[in-house]
Amino acid sequence: MGLFSDIYNTVAKFFRPQEEQGDASKSVATNRLKLVLMQDRTNLTPRILEQMRSELIDLLSRYVELDKELLELNFEQEGDQVALMLSIPVIRAKDEEEIEAAIQAHKESLENDEESESEEFEEESETEEETDETESSEIAEEKTEEEIEAEKTDAIAKELQDVPKIIKKKKVSKPEEMGNNPFKSDETENIEDVIESSSENK
Amino acid sequence: MTGRVIVITSGKGGVGKTTTSANIGTALAKAGYKVVLIDTDLGLRNLDLLLGLENRIVYTIVDVIEERCKLKQALVKDKKNPNLSLLAAAQTRDKTAVNAEQLKEICNTLKEKNDFVLVDCPAGIEQGFQNAVAGASEAIVVTTPEMSAIRDADRIIGLLATKEEITSTKLLLNRVRPNLIKSNEMMSVDDVVGILEIPLVGIIPEDTGIITSTNKGEPIVNDEDALAGKAYRNVAQRILGEEVPFLDLDEPKGIVAKIKNAFAKLKAKV
């Protein structure tokens, strides 16, 4: 029997269309390549990417309850434009009180981190913004720590406005791509692998 | 007349820049255009070998720059085709013997009396690349369907995009192996084009004939029967602005492949 089935398998394999054979190593190559090119093109190392990912989770978790495991952070290129695509399944909307509490908790943790007069520099940052436009070159030369911090908060505020738009874009324009997304969870695992291995090296 | 200066580059070494330069140059010359090939790989010259001109080189590009000869004296005419000539690289010098400005000047002079100036670029992204690109207004990026070559090509495409003088960058996919693509073991043409996102100027199949043509010092475009030769002739026609369909590399060759294919089709019908 064994001999016959061997012969049968050999013959069957011979006549099978070639597409069915092979271990599809090309899709592994394509996905690895897309990931590495994204890093090359954006100067985002796996470590920085992971940091961005965790900061975004922190930020968005204040407003909605998210499925952190299924978060997808991708770059998609259309022509010259690189778009950052963020897709996170929302488990549940938070109510107003919860959001307020989360924001408050975050503010407190920020204050604790800095141990500085946050109110004061918020006012400063506003006046500085006005001068920014007229004397930007001078200011750029002597950036104080407070200004850098103010820029940071500005950037966070901007992020707040931008991120939901990106999510929306993803959901509205590309629902069909959800299935075969090149940087799906497999690749995020890869990132983690890389990080793990790099930290092991150290 | 003002000819076109096209740089043939890749980033990674060994993907077929020099073979491509020799073949496109020969094909364009055979089509009746005046062509000069410049080898800018100083210290590692090879274009002379592929053209079978290694014994005829008297002066090199460095001799021209250091004014030991006139530009015209350094141009070596091809054995068969008087339309084609080569400006060889110096074998005993390195990349620092030439700078971008000097190469640009040479390209500008040559394009006045030729239809095409093809610049064979060295591997890498350093001085040699910067020199080779300096005089060009078009670029052909050569890559193979392998990760490392594609990654390097992506880098080169990014660098070319920062050069204002380069108005067109096209992709030449070399060493394509249809049977590996069919079995999903090699990235397909569409995969590579999808990733690099620049227009395709040619698909060259892997062809053992390339080895023998290199051995003989005769570009494969001269071989009417070779598939790679035909693919390179098509590239030349596309450079000339003609619309030529890409070769169908899927067509199986040999009796075994044909039987297999017939059975596959039969199975698909049932």
Side-chain angles (χ1 to χ4, degrees):
Chain A
M1 275 304 282
L3 182 67
F4 279 116
S5 64
D6 277 358
I7 292 171
Y8 173 78
N9 284 336
T10 314
V11 172
K13 195 184 170 198
F14 181 77
F15 288 116
R16 205 178 296 151
Q18 276 177 322
E19 297 93 82
E20 287 176 19
Q21 297 174 24
D23 57 349
S25 69
K26 80 131 193 191
S27 61
V28 178
T30 312
N31 289 336
R32 284 178 62 208
L33 188 62
K34 279 182 177 171
L35 190 74
V36 83
L37 286 183
M38 175 193 64
Q39 289 163 11
D40 288 356
R41 286 168 180 170
T42 57
N43 291 325
L44 291 171
T45 61
R47 184 176 296 274
I48 291 175
L49 216 59
E50 190 52 34
Q51 189 183 335
M52 182 157 107
R53 196 180 135 100
S54 71
E55 280 180 22
L56 283 169
I57 291 176
D58 283 352
L59 172 73
L60 296 170
S61 317
R62 276 176 237 145
Y63 302 91
V64 278
E65 197 172 307
L66 307 166
D67 191 343
K68 290 167 195 170
E69 298 302 311
L70 290 177
L71 179 136
E72 280 175 39
L73 182 58
N74 308 315
F75 288 84
E76 281 178 20
Q77 190 154 21
E78 286 169 29
D80 295 341
Q81 278 280 314
V82 178
L84 176 63
M85 295 294 184
L86 181 66
S87 162
I88 324 168
V90 174
I91 294 172
R92 170 182 81 86
K94 288 189 171 182
D95 60 37
E96 240 175 278
E97 276 176 30
E98 278 177 294
I99 294 172
E100 285 296 330
I103 293 172
Q104 197 57 41
H106 174 66
K107 269 187 184 168
E108 275 164 20
S109 74
L110 270 186
E111 275 165 20
N112 289 341
D113 283 353
E114 289 160 10
E115 290 181 355
S116 62
E117 330 81 314
S118 61
E119 276 185 30
E120 208 172 292
F121 92 67
E122 258 179 40
E123 276 176 30
E124 260 177 56
S125 75
E126 272 183 34
T127 51
E128 234 120 50
E129 259 180 27
E130 286 166 17
T131 50
D132 243 346
E133 286 166 12
T134 50
E135 312 171 327
S136 58
S137 59
E138 277 178 42
I139 287 171
E141 276 168 21
E142 32 171 3
K143 263 189 187 167
T144 64
E145 263 184 36
E146 281 176 344
E147 278 168 348
I148 293 167
E149 282 305 313
E151 273 175 23
K152 233 185 186 173
T153 47
D154 279 351
I156 290 170
K158 211 181 160 217
E159 252 182 318
L160 259 181
Q161 293 170 345
D162 289 347
V163 166
K165 272 185 212 159
I166 291 166
I167 294 173
K168 204 174 164 192
K169 188 184 169 192
K170 170 103 194 175
K171 284 197 173 151
V172 170
S173 64
K174 312 215 160 204
E176 76 283 1
E177 281 186 14
M178 298 287 279
N180 58 352
N181 202 311
F183 303 121
K184 235 185 161 173
S185 44
D186 274 6
E187 281 65 37
T188 45
E189 273 168 33
N190 278 346
I191 297 176
E192 280 157 17
D193 288 346
V194 172
I195 290 168
E196 268 170 37
S197 61
S198 66
S199 53
E200 272 168 22
N201 286 343
K202 280 175 187 173
Chain B
M1 104 175 128
T2 309
R4 290 159 66 184
V5 183
I6 307 175
V7 62
I8 289 140
T9 181
S10 72
K12 189 176 180 299
V15 296
K17 283 180 298 293
T18 305
T19 306
T20 298
S21 304
N23 279 291
I24 294 178
T26 306
L28 287 169
K30 280 179 90 172
Y33 294 87
K34 279 199 80 179
V35 182
V36 177
L37 287 164
I38 307 180
D39 189 347
T40 61
D41 203 348
L42 270 63
L44 296 168
R45 80 173 181 212
N46 279 322
L47 193 48
D48 52 338
L49 280 179
L50 299 203
L51 295 165
L53 297 175
E54 67 274 15
N55 291 325
R56 299 193 179 193
I57 291 161
V58 181
Y59 296 111
T60 68
I61 191 167
V62 176
D63 295 318
V64 176
I65 283 164
E66 293 176 353
E67 295 181 346
R68 279 191 290 275
C69 70
K70 294 210 173 75
L71 181 53
K72 207 178 165 188
Q73 287 176 288
L75 295 177
V76 184
K77 272 208 161 53
D78 186 58
K79 289 175 285 189
K80 285 184 180 170
N81 201 323
N83 281 337
L84 181 68
S85 47
L86 168 72
L87 179 55
Q91 183 66 340
T92 53
R93 303 289 290 272
D94 64 19
K95 313 285 187 270
T96 54
V98 178
N99 69 38
E101 205 51 47
Q102 291 163 334
L103 228 130
K104 195 173 175 180
E105 206 183 305
I106 287 177
C107 288
N108 286 342
T109 313
L110 286 173
K111 76 179 177 189
E112 281 169 23
K113 286 188 175 164
N114 291 278
D115 299 296
F116 288 96
V117 179
L118 302 183
V119 186
D120 182 22
C121 178
I125 52 172
E126 296 87 14
Q127 184 70 44
F129 166 77
Q130 302 294 347
N131 289 349
V133 168
S137 56
E138 295 169 59
I140 292 177
V141 177
V142 181
T143 191
T144 63
E146 288 149 293
M147 291 177 69
S148 48
I150 297 168
R151 186 189 197 177
D152 292 358
D154 186 70
R155 187 92 166 86
I156 288 291
I157 292 165
L159 289 172
L160 289 170
T162 65
K163 309 264 177 213
E164 279 176 27
E165 300 83 17
I166 305 282
T167 53
S168 144
T169 302
K170 290 191 172 145
L171 186 69
L172 187 137
L173 192 54
N174 201 9
R175 294 204 183 151
V176 174
R177 294 164 74 171
N179 54 339
L180 283 189
I181 292 175
K182 266 196 152 179
S183 59
N184 278 328
E185 286 167 287
M186 182 179 255
M187 274 182 253
S188 70
V189 175
D190 288 345
D191 289 331
V192 180
V193 174
I195 287 170
L196 294 176
E197 296 192 304
I198 60 169
L200 200 58
V201 74
I203 305 165
I204 315 294
E206 172 98 349
D207 192 333
T208 47
I210 294 278
I211 297 169
T212 44
S213 87
T214 307
N215 290 346
K216 292 185 210 154
E218 194 164 294
I220 202 161
V221 282
N222 288 329
D223 182 350
E224 293 295 327
D225 300 326
L227 197 58
K230 187 165 190 236
Y232 273 124
R233 286 195 293 277
N234 287 351
V235 173
Q237 283 181 286
R238 287 186 201 106
I239 291 172
L240 292 167
E242 290 170 42
E243 283 200 19
V244 188
F246 291 100
L247 289 181
D248 182 14
L249 302 176
D250 281 344
E251 211 49 51
K253 279 201 270 180
I255 186 76
V256 174
K258 274 184 180 152
I259 292 170
K260 266 179 124 170
N261 200 43
F263 267 93
K265 276 179 185 163
L266 202 71
K267 203 181 168 191
K269 274 184 191 169
V270 177

